[in-house]
Every structure is written in structure tokens, then in C-alpha cells.
Amino acid sequence: MHVFELGFVAAVLLAATPILYAALAGALSAQAGVFNIALEGQMLWGAFAAVAGSYYTGSAWGGLLTAVLSTALFSVILAVGAARWKADPIIIAIGTNLLAIGLTGFLLRVLFGVSGSFSPRELQGLPKMTFLTDVPVIGPIFSGQTVLVPFAFVVIAAAGIWLKVSPAGLRLRGVGEHPDAAASLGVEVARYQTWVTIVGGALCGIAGAQLALGNVTVFTENMTAGRGWIAVAAVMLVGGRPLWLPVACLGFGAAEALGFRLQGIGAPQQLTDAAPYAITLLVLIATRIRLPRRRTAAAVTTSAPTPAA
Amino acid sequence: SSSGGASSTGAAGDGDNANSIILITPTPIGSNNFLQLASDGAKEAGEKYDASVDVYESEDPTSIQQNLDAAIREKPSIIIGVSFSVLDQFTEAAADNPDQQFLLIDTSAENPTPNLTAATFKEYEATYLTGVEAGLLTQKNNVGVVAALDTPFIHRWIDPFYAGAKSVNPGVATSAQFVGGDNPFGDQARAKAQAQILADGGVDYVQAAASGGNTGVFEAAAESGFKAFGVDTNQCLESPGNVVDNAIKRVDVALVNSVGDILDGTTGGFTSYGLAEGGVSLTGLEDGVADSQCLIADHPDVIEKVAAVRDQIVSGQVVVTDPLTAG
Amino acid sequence: MTSTSGNDADAAGLDGPAASAVPAVELIGIGKRFGAVVANADVDLVLRRGTVHAVMGENGAGKSTLMSMLFGLLEPDSGEIRIDGRPVRFAGPLDAIAAGLGMVHQHFRLFDTMTVAENVVYGAEPRRPGFFGRGVVDRAAAAARVRELSERYGLESDPDAVVGSLSAGARQRVEILKALHRDARILILDEPTAVLTPNEVTSLFAVIRRAAEGGATVVLVTHKIHEVLSVSDEVTVLRDGRVTGRFATAEATAASLVHAMTGRAIDEVRNPRTGTPGATVLEVSGLTVGDSGAGSGSGSRTSPGGGGVAAVSDVSFEVRAGEIVGIAGVSGNGQHELVAAVLGTLPARSGRVRILGDDVAGRSVRDRRALGLAVIPEDRRGEGSAVTMSVAENVTLGHHRTPPIGSASGVGRGWMSIRAERARARELIRDYDVRTSGELQPIGALSGGNAQKVVIARELSHRAPLVIAEQPTQGVDVGAIESIHGRLLEHRADGGALLLVSHEISELLALADRILVMYAGRIVAEFPADEATTARIGAAMAGAAEAASEPDPEDPES
Amino acid sequence: MTSTTTPPATGPEAPAPGRPGARLVRAALRHPAVVPVGAVVLALLIGAVIILAAGLDPVTAYAAVISGALEPGSLDYTFSVWGFIIGMALAAAIPLRMGEFNLGGNGQLVLGGLTAAVIAGNLPLPGPIVIPLAVLGAAVVSGAFGAISAPLATRFGIPIIISTLLLSPIAVAVVSYLVRFPLGEAGAAVAQTPRLPQDARMWALGDLSYSNVGLLIILALLVVFWLVDSRSAVGFELRVVGANRRFGAYGGVRVGRLALGAMAAAGAAAGVVGAVMVMSSPFRLIDGALISPGYTFAGLAAALLAGGRPALIPVTAILFTVLQVGGAAMERSADVPRQLSDVLQGVVIVVLALRTVLDQRRTERSSA
Ligand SMILES: Nc1ncnc2c1ncn2[C@@H]1O[C@H](COP(=O)(O)OP(=O)(O)OP(=O)(O)O)[C@@H](O)[C@H]1O
Ligand SMILES: Nc1ncnc2c1ncn2[C@@H]1O[C@H](COP(=O)(O)OP(=O)(O)OP(=O)(O)O)[C@@H](O)[C@H]1O
Ligand SMILES: [Mg+2]
Ligand SMILES: [Mg+2]
């Protein structure tokens, strides 16, 4: 196992980045009291939109933009449904996840006439930071990565600080902690929840773009393959606190990268498959996390807090 | 996800063809380029023998059975089944429907009924040759394989590759990484990560046997400078400058021949398409290497050596063991 | 001085002419229906500037609904609202706040994890430049604002205290500060005294009067006549959503108010104190209980710090058959945790609980109830009912395995008869005079008082030898109080044992044979009925009352 | 609280006040079947728009779906799928009653399949003994596996929806490993167990080749759940806890045990499905073969659409069965990509969630 190689660090970052963006989306929703498990589907849609956008505009940045915008749009279903109409976010999420799988596969056939995967020669991937190649240490780690990788940490830091210091952040946290109280002070709960969910959609768009145009340059049916669910678990793990997300997500990245490398010393491939989930579960148990009642209620049961009268 | 069923892929002709062919795949063709080859081959055969072609894509064993029943109801000239996964169902169906002709591609029954013809491939002979090339070309004396899953069948792209490499370069180190995950035959991201690991481990020649995932392997090659081998078709075109050669599999040839035989009335038994039969080969050993975009074109010496080994295999001087039968 | 724009406007608002021709608020012909229920019908209400106006009425009379409309939480079906003579239409509370209204809800609406300052300025934050020019919350200014307001209205409060660690009284002050921070000139208080000690009530009334003298207009929703008589200038009485009485407090008498509210005279029931207590039914010895991490519901405080603190420490007492033992104390001094530990929803750290002689250590709630325990919980909505389920289902829980609904043994064991369930529910609704459209109506749609009757019906119909009642008449109107008290005394007369937890001293004096006073998780005083007086109990609680407004001195973490 | 988990809020019983006529209409509107039907109709319309947008013909597409699933030739197969989906719907619906989501159906399914394959494949006993034994064993193992999530929730506060989600792939990986190596058939090209002996195959129903006694077993499970849910104390407690956990605990419901039981029952249901699938053609456990048809999510969808109500599950299951089986036929004869049936399933669920709210609002307004 070459755990101590910089290559390993790079692999960890690569595996963690899409999860980081998705998890940030989940954490922001959690802060606003919306239990968002639609990340998997939104990321998948983002990946498809990124590839389609890059293919049609001929530019990876066009792909990224398409992914961000269209995934934000896609997340409006959850935003309006759960936040404004007070429908059960879990059911909507399950629906949209299925919808994303279907729609991407469907459009793959209808738009590009292929099934399975789509990676035409002219498809533009996001540029790698090759200019770093000769920098010691940094080079081997980042030169093969897109700019979205370091950007993830910037965005998360910004989000964390924003939540702490800005008026909107304060209000958002209040909305999540006690919607009725927020409402009685004239803070429009639904509006905050709606917007935070849509911003989350945009973030999932970035996650998908990084996955489809950064980690690789291709779209494959169901290519998120559970990464969105790992993100949900990450949000659980940190109790929705963005600033802790890097720890959790890099943990998953390490788990996956490590699992892959375990094959090198003869571990069966099935162990690789199970590793990230098993480690997540063990960490969850180890930390014996207990979310605040309200959020647990949202998480453990469908009983949404009774609408602000 | 929807259950088993069928997709009419632009039938070669409409209802009024002399013959009809129904091809049943064990899983959706998706990004599995071998299944893609099979359906292309079926269409080719359709063109050649004026047959309408239907491709039924299954999702799982039950839907294989269901597609098979549907096919039998259609009473086509030939029902073609691809891969080991359909063996059970086809063996039974052939026994139950003596008047229906069945053709198995890539697998064969122990004691088949006369209406059950089979065509199998000796991919392992071709992979042995890519191994030889890798063994000759490697500078780091370190070669590896990225394979979709750790199944016996897929070892046909692993063990012979090692054997071939060792045959010309006894000291060469070998290692394999499996893609696995939710989508082993199509997850380029995971395939790429696996290839990256081999590269980190000092491997400089990689046999890509990850089906749809190969794209990921080629990307890794482009980024970290190792060279790859493709499978089934000329994948050099997908990623010029990164792919050395391909262990190609002439499913089309085999399929067209077998269909022809059956239509001519010679049914039953099975043909094994190896190097000798021209059923498998290397791009580098075919005509038009020059414009195949394969790196091997720049190594005429290697091609020469490989050609020699090929001839030894054909003549039986060298016997490549089949991992499947080897257990 | 703080950067909040409102300050001077605020000063202006309060120092304005004490009484002016135009009333501060006029509600004209207000009507509101919920489906078939008429919550308000043609209600007129005039609030003159600088006065305290009491709104009374039985449960479900429509008080909360009326206030909700005044504050923009609900939209009136008909009628008009005028502020300072100008007609207004409130799309939401924001409009109401902008128009100078502030509401203090009975069920506190506070963010437990945030500080007092954050709670006060939430939604109207003082800002300073920062964060990419988008501006950040100016915490210093917020704290200053809190100090300044506390100081001006005598609402002492620590801006940096975490609200979750505050007593009910302190939380209420935060609620009022919230309104004042928004320059409220019209204060609505929905049953503000329900969870306060006598001292806290007194200081609250002082604040109210002070605000009124400052030119503010105060609406006080309450069921408590003595409060109305002591603090208000005018009274409006509602019954079944209609105005049935308007008084100048000076001319009002308890009797006239009660009559307007109920349409009849109410004579308070009292414990005859006849008969001698029988065998011990509940024995608590050396009981120590950790914290109920989750807030124990409406009004009562979520005690500080979670795990570490003992909410109940070394409590011992017993309750005998045919005896009512009262527990007085400021809400949040461990009463709820004590009850929870006896019921079994909270684990005891040490000590013993015996029900009818059986040590219940390690027994499940179900087993304890089977032994003969019934509990009327404090938190009606959070613990005492499932708001989305029907009244019938709500009165069935706990009776669903026993006849007539279930059968305890034989083939029918574990099965239920839906017909029996509904029949029984209809019966109880009749007996307890629950105002509802039918046994299948979701209990959430009942007014709190009526919901309370459902809970009491469910628990008393167990005919359990031991009943624990937490704040059984909180938010319940005089008529209902009378009938509930009657029920509790019946239980005693039938030889039942009753542990009555209440912060209504009058209630304890009327019902209890013995009164224990709890403070900071300990029993600090005990009075036999004949020695108990409001003064002595108040005194015993008073020490607690002062201490309770700060985080407990006993509390290591503060 | 969505009415998905609280039938009382929208239940058929809830009458509305007012004139008898109006009351009847309102009651009818609030019949639990209304929501699903509305959702389906709307979903089909949206699906039609999507098909049109793709330049295809919705009418022929839907016709193809229907005929593909319901033509005499495929009814046999369709019924067997219906059974599997009902089974997986049970696995989702039982916890759903107490407000919990079981997203671990796949793991429970494959564990059941594996157990059945091991028992039926290795015990040389006559069918009447080995078949029930295999089904029972599958139920026990999968039940135990499903039950793990309960203590994880009660002791460690890990929501069941999360723990089931994380446990499932682990089980799948373990089974995959066992099928590949220790239990795998030697010389097979794919990872699979040896074929079951004739005796150990699920009894056929007449000359049907797909639907077998397994279907009856699953339907029996459904009936049992229906009785328990509507008539039993446990069923009542499930719904109470689903409506308000604290209320349940205070009222003496042993929430922990209830969750344990519900998850065990859910796992068992999934396990039985796995066993039946393995004991039907091709009479062996093939790596990945139990999961690939996606019965788990179809079942979850059917359960959600039915709001967990046992009486509605067979109906909603029909919808998803037709979409699954007919989807492929649609692809064949109408050239509409198979994936459209996933789209439709997703749309149905979303529309349902939204319709539920409208319905709930109506209830609230007309309540009291
Ligand atoms: N959101 C609602 N939905 C249905 N009915 C409601 C709703 N809000 C109030 N009601 C009904 O309107 C009537 C008045 O309720 P309201 O809460 O105003 O009474 P109240 O005077 O506050 O009673 P209490 O003294 O118990 O607080 C009650 O019958 C109640 O059931
Ligand atoms: N089904 C419901 N949905 C939304 N809001 C409701 C519902 N039922 C009642 N409410 C609101 O919640 C309030 C609950 O009534 P309640 O009387 O408890 O309010 P309160 O007077 O503040 O509390 P209390 O009853 O303890 O005095 C009702 O007044 C009504 O406005
Ligand atoms: Mg009220
Ligand atoms: Mg009240």
C-alpha cells in the first residue's frame, strides 16, 4: 500500500471533493431544518447536465454553468414542495432521486442516442491545474486536480462563517431551530428554507460537474453510485455543522482510497465496496451522535414540525 | 429500473425478411462494449442473410427467461444468447423446443442438443499476446490489469496477461485492481482511480478489462503517463497516444459464421474461436496497423516477436491455459 | 448608543400623550371560522392608548384566535382592524410588528441554543460592515440594546446568557424584550402568567403598568380573575367567539366576570379534608434524577447543560390512599423530571420508587402503568397527545389492550374493537364536556383547554389508584377548572392517591392535604393543609423564585 | 406530520360536517384512494409531456406498457413481479407506519436469498420440509439483520433511514463475496451458487412457470400485516408512535421494542422475497441478480404511494409492476427508452407527496 505517497493524498481529495459539495448542500438544508436526502439524485442530474452542457457549448465551463443552473432548477421541486408546501421532504427526495436516474438515462438515449455512458472525443473536461506541476508537494497533489477541488474548501469556510456572523445566517439557524419562533418574528421560514434548498441544488450541480468533468470526462448512467448518500451520512456525522464537513468527507475519501489500495495486498474487491459504508457506520456509532430533538424528529420520523399556525 | 424486455434495434429489414434473428443479452447493453459487439454482429448477420434482427436486453435472470419465452413465441429462425449468464435457460429451452434453433455466444453447454449451437472465444489467447507485448515494452518491469469484477470469467483478461508478460520477461511484477462498486462495468471514476493506484505502484503497462470503465483507465494513462491495452475493438481510437494495442474479439465474424452454418443446416456442437480461427487477435497483428492510432505501430520489432508467439500458439507449440477451466 | 434605527421612534412612541382621542387599536366586527367552528363572530374590541386591556373567556372562546389575527398570524374572514384610526391589513406578523405590535405567546417562542441578545435582536439585527460588505451582526450593539431596554423597563436580563438555561420567568422577560426591541407600542400577552411564581407575576405586572404609563397599550389574555382585577383598566369577555361583556375594571366584580364568561355562577370546589389517609400508594426515597435533555414542554425550562446536572436530587416523600399531596414550586425546579422518573420516561440515577409496594426500578412505563399509575402530563401537545390523531385515538392509548376495547387474555388478546373504541370516546367527550365536532376530529384542532380535558379524561378513566397531575388546569377556564377539580377530589374520595404538581398556590390550597415545595431539585419545605398559607408557600417558593431567575447557584456549569 | 403516516388525519373514517350531501362529497374526496389515483393520473400526464417533448407518441407508448404487462403471454411473469414488489413494499410499509424509513431492502433481500440458497441447496430433505425451512431461515436471518437498525437508533441516535442505508451495501458486499468464493459454483463464469436440487424448488402453481406458491406466501404476509395494522394493539401503537414518539413513550408503548419488531418484520418480509426469488427459476443465487430488477425501490415507492396502508399496497403495487414489466415492452414496440418507467415512478412519488399536502390542508380546514 502506498498510503504515504502524495498520490494517495491526491486520490483522497479526488474522491472527497464531489461529496464535499453535496454534503455542504445537505448541511445548509439541515441548518434550516430541511432534511435533504435528495443529494444523490441532484448530483446525478448535475453530472448529466455538466456533460450535456460541455458537449453543446464546447466548453467545460459552459458545462459547469449548465450543471449549476439546471440542478438549482431541479432542486426547486424539493424546495417548493418541502419548504413552501410543507410536503414530506423524505418522500419528495426519494421521488426526485428516482426521477434523476430515469431522466438522465432517458435523455442519454433521446439526446445522444447512446445508453450506458457518453464520452465523445470532443467532450471538454474541466482543466487541471497543471501550472502547479513543478511546485514541490503541492504539485503532485493538485496539478492533476481541477480548481473546484481547492474551491470546495473555500466555499465551505465561507458558508461556515456566514452562518455564524451574518444576519441571514443567524436567521437561517433560527429557522432551523424553531420555525414558529422565527415566523412570529416576521422571518419568512419558507423563504429561507426554499432558498437554502435551491442553493444546495446549485452546490450539487458543482458536485456533479466535478464528478463528470473533473474526476473523469464522461457521463455514465447512475454514475454517482451512492456518493450522494455518503454525503447525507456526512451531514449526520457532523450534525449539520459545515466547518466540520472536511473532516468527515476526507475521512470517506480516505476510506475509499484505502479500500482500493487494500486490493493491492490481496483484499477481495467486495471489501473495497463495503469499506466506506462500514467505516461511516462505525464512526457514527463511535461518536454516538445525538442530533437536537427537532432535527432527529425530522430525521428519524416523518413527523414534520406542525406548521406555524 | 424496469424489468426485462426487448428493444428492436433498427431491424435489418421489416417483417418480410427471409429469416429472423432474436438476440438476447443477459444485462442491458449499456456501456458493456462486448454486448455492443454482439448486437452489431447480429445486425451484420442480418444484413448478410436477409434476416430481421431483434435485440432483447434483459435486466436479470428472470427477465432472461421471460425474454427467451417471448422469443420462442416469435418462432424466429435463430435465437441467439450471449454469455454464460443465459446458459441455464438456453440449455433447457433447447431441450424443450427441438424445432427451434438456438445459438450461444461466448459459452457452451456440456452435452448440447442438436438444435443448440455454440461459439466460444479464446480471449485468453489474445490477452496472452498483449501480455507478451507488455512484457517486452515495460521499462519499470511492472505491469498490471484493471478489471471490472473479480469473477472467474474476467480472469481470462488477467492470468493470461501475466503469463504472457512473464514468458518474455520472467522478472516482471504483476498486479490487478478491480473496479467493483455499484456499477462495475461502467464506473469510469472508480476504474480511473484503480488505474491511478497501479501507476502509483510503478506499473507502466496496464491491460484495461473494465468494459465501459476502460475510458477511465485511458484517462489515467493520459494523465500519469503509463500505457494501456484495450479489449474487444480498436480502442486506440478512443485515446490516441495512450493505448498500445487491443485484444480484439471478432464477435461479428463468429456470429456471422455461426448464423450462416445454422441457416445452411449444420447445427449443434460448438466452435471455439481462437487465434487459429481468427476469432481473436491483436490490432497490431491486423492489416492497417499504421493508421490504427495504436502505439504498437511504432514497435515493428515487438510486432514481429508477438507474431511469432501467435504462430506458436496456433501451431500448438505454446498452450495458453484458460483460467476458467483451470478453475 | 446602539445603531438600531428604531430607538428614538421607540422613545417617541412611549413618551407620547398618555391618553388620546384616537384609540390605539380598533377591532371591528371581526369574524373567523375554522371549518365548521366559529372561533370569532362579529367581535368588537377597542384598546385605548396607555391602558391595560384584559381579554377573558373559556377555553375555545376564541382569545388566541383573535390575538393571532390582531398580530397578523391569522387572516380574519370578516371585519376590520384599525391602528391609530388607520385601517390595516396584515399579510403577516412582519406587518403587525412594523405597525408597532408585539406579541408574547404563552408557549414561549425562543431559540434555546442562542443567547438572550441573539433572541432579542433576531430578525431586526443591528449590523456593522463586514463579510464581503454584506454586513454582520453587531453583537456588542445587540448586548448594549438589551441592557438599555432591561434597564428602562426593569426587566433584568443577562444578554450573554444562553436562553436554554433560563427559568420560565427569565424567558418571559426575553419575550417581552423582543417586543420592546421592535419598538412595540401595543403589547399582546397570551396567558403570560401561566408558568410564573407569585413574585414573577408581581414583577411582570409592574413592568406592564410601567409600560402602560409610558404610553404603551397592553392586551392581557388570561383565565385568572384576580389578575384581571389587579392589573387591567378594562375587560372584554368572550364566549363561543362572541363578546359577552365589556367592563371598566373598576366596576367589574369576580362574579360579574365569571357570569359573563360562563353564563352561570361558579362556586369553587374545595377539599373537604375528611377521612384519614390509607396505605402508602407511592413511596419515593432518596430519588436523584439526571436531566431530561429535551425541553419538558411548554413554559417549563430545559435545564442547563444536559447530562451533568441533577434535575432532582435526593427527594423523598410518600403519597397515601385517599390523600392529595401537592408539589409547589417554580416550573423548572425538577417537578417534571420527578414525575418523569416515577412514570419511567426518565431513568433515576439513584434512589427508590415504590408503587403500591412494588419497587419499579428497571420496570417499563407500561409495567408501571399496569401497577396502577396514571399521569396527566404538563406538555399537552408534545407529550400528552398526538395532534394529528383523532380524539378517539387519543383517549384510547393505554386502554387499547384492556376491555372494552381490547381483551387482556384469551383469543382476543392483542386485538382491538374499533366500535368499542369510538363508543367509549363519545362517552368521555360527553362526560368531560369536550368542545369538539366529534370523536374523529384531530385533537390538534381543539383549543388547548379542550385538549386538556381529553387528556384528563383518558388518564382518570384508568381508575388508577395513583394519579399524578402536572399543571392539570393550566390554560383552562374557570368552568373547566371547577369540573377538573371536582374530578380530582372524586378520585380522592374513592380512596385514590393523587400527586398534584402545580404552580397555582390557590389550586394547591384548595385541593391538597399536604403541600411540598420544590426548589432546585430538592424538597425545601412541607406544610400540612391546616398550616399552609399563600404567604408561607410563597415564601418557600420566593427564595427559589429569585434564584431561579439566574441559572441555579447549585449548577456547577454556571 | 404528513398524512402518509397518519391515516387518521385523512382516513376514510374522518367525516366532514355540513349538509349531508357536502359531507358525502368531502368524505369521498378524503378517501385514501383519492390521493394515489390523483397522483398517478397527474404523473401519467407529465410523463406524456416528456414523451411528446422527446418527439414520441405517448398513446402508443402507454398502450405498449399496458399490453406488454397484461397480454396473456406475460401475465404469469407479471404476477410474479407483482408478488415481489408487494413483498418489498411490506418491507418499507411496516416501519413507515411508525414513521421510519427502511432504505436497506437490498441488503435484507440478498441475505434472505443467500440463506435460502444455503439451506435449500445443502439439506438433502424432501421438499415439504426443506422449502418451508429455507423460507423461514431467510425470514429469520434477514429479520435479525433488519432489526440491527433499531438499537442503532435507540442507543446511538442513528436514524433508521441512515443505518439501513449504510448497512445494506455492506450486506450486499458480504453476500457477493460468499457467492463468489466459498459458496460459489466451481467452474462457473459468473459468481453464482450451484443450481438447487429439484426437491428444493418452490412449488409451481399449476403449469405457470413464474408465479409459484411463493406469491401466495407473500400475499399471506400482506393479509397478516393488514390485520395487525387495522385490528391489533401493536398496529395501533405503531401508528401512535408514528404520530408522536413522546406521546407513545408516555402512554406506555415500548418504542424501542416496537422499532425492533417493525424492523425485524420488515427485514423478514424482504428475506422471504429473496428466498422466493432464489427458489424460482433459475433456481440459484447469482451475484447481483436479486438487486438488478430494482424491486426494492419499486416496493418502497408502492408503500409510499399507499401511505403504508396495507389495504392499498396491492393496488399501488400493480402500478409499479405494470411500469416495470411494461417498460421494456414500451421500449420494443414504441421505441420509448425503458428509463421512462423510472421517470414515471419518480414523478408519481413526487406528485403524491404534493397531493398529500393539498389533501391534508383540506382536512385541516374542514376539521373542527
Ligand atoms: N387552526 C385551527 N384549526 C381548527 N380549529 C381551530 C384552530 N385554531 C383554533 N381553533 C378552534 O377555534 C376555537 C377558538 O380557539 P382559541 O385557541 O382561540 O380559543 P382560546 O380562547 O385561546 O382557548 P384557550 O383558553 O383554551 O386558549 C376553538 O374551538 C379551537 O378548537
Ligand atoms: N390543528 C391545528 N393546526 C394548527 N394550529 C392549531 C391547530 N389547532 C389549534 N391550533 C392553534 O394552536 C392553538 C392551540 O390552542 P391553545 O388554546 O393551546 O393556544 P394557547 O391558548 O396559546 O395555549 P393553551 O391552550 O395552553 O392556553 C389554537 O388556539 C390554534 O390557534
Ligand atoms: Mg388560547
Ligand atoms: Mg389557552
Side-chain angles (χ1 to χ4, degrees), chain A residues 1-307:
Chain A
M1 295 198 295
H2 332 283
V3 176
F4 301 105
E5 286 194 3
L6 297 176
F8 178 75
V9 182
V12 172
L13 280 172
L14 199 65
T17 305
I19 300 174
L20 265 175
Y21 282 106
L24 179 57
L28 289 175
S29 303
Q31 287 286 346
V34 178
F35 187 54
N36 184 348
I37 60 164
L39 305 175
E40 175 82 2
Q42 292 183 5
M43 207 198 301
L44 182 61
W45 176 261
F48 177 82
V51 167
S54 171
Y55 178 73
Y56 285 123
T57 65
S59 137
W61 300 112
L64 178 61
L65 191 68
T66 320
V68 169
L69 295 182
S70 69
T71 313
L73 197 65
F74 186 72
S75 68
V76 166
I77 304 174
L78 177 67
V80 172
R84 206 162 282 287
W85 295 356
K86 296 277 177 288
D88 186 332
I90 295 180
I91 300 181
I92 297 188
I94 290 174
T96 50
N97 286 337
L98 207 52
L99 189 60
I101 294 177
L103 264 185
T104 51
F106 181 80
L107 292 176
L108 202 58
R109 294 274 291 272
V110 174
L111 293 182
F112 306 122
V114 300
S115 71
S117 73
F118 180 64
S119 51
R121 287 287 300 287
E122 60 271 37
L123 184 60
Q124 295 296 321
L126 289 162
K128 307 292 193 299
M129 300 184 289
T130 40
F131 55 85
L132 293 172
T133 313
D134 308 327
V135 188
V137 186
I138 304 290
I141 297 178
F142 285 101
S143 59
Q145 317 267 25
T146 70
V147 66
L148 289 181
V149 173
F151 185 61
F153 296 88
V154 178
V155 175
I156 285 180
I161 299 169
W162 176 79
L163 273 174
K164 277 195 166 39
V165 306
S166 77
L170 177 72
R171 296 179 186 190
L172 190 72
R173 285 184 285 131
V175 163
E177 177 173 348
H178 194 334
D180 293 6
S184 69
L185 292 171
V187 170
E188 291 163 70
V189 175
R191 211 177 101 241
Y192 274 82
Q193 293 180 331
T194 307
W195 279 110
V196 85
T197 311
I198 291 175
V199 169
L203 287 166
C204 288
I206 302 181
Q210 166 65 23
L211 187 64
L213 297 177
N215 292 36
V216 287
T217 311
V218 62
F219 176 80
T220 314
E221 280 185 45
N222 188 27
M223 79 183 293
T224 44
R227 290 173 177 88
W229 291 113
I230 291 285
V232 172
V235 176
M236 285 273 326
L237 195 55
V238 301
R241 291 163 300 175
L243 290 177
W244 286 91
L245 281 177
V247 184
C249 296
L250 290 174
F252 298 129
E256 182 167 303
L258 196 64
F260 287 173
R261 276 162 172 71
L262 284 180
Q263 285 187 17
I265 58 168
Q269 148 239 324
Q270 289 86 356
L271 185 75
T272 313
D273 299 352
Y277 299 96
I279 293 179
T280 308
L281 193 58
L282 293 178
V283 175
L284 275 173
I285 294 172
T287 54
R288 301 174 113 257
I289 53 122
R290 285 205 177 287
L291 300 180
R293 240 190 199 297
R294 199 170 318 91
R295 214 168 291 151
T296 322
V300 181
T301 78
T302 49
S303 40
T306 37

Side-chain angles (χ1 to χ4, degrees), chain C residues 63-65 106 190-191:
Chain C
K63 307 181 294 295
S64 296
T65 305
Q106 167 182 0
D190 190 354
E191 299 183 46

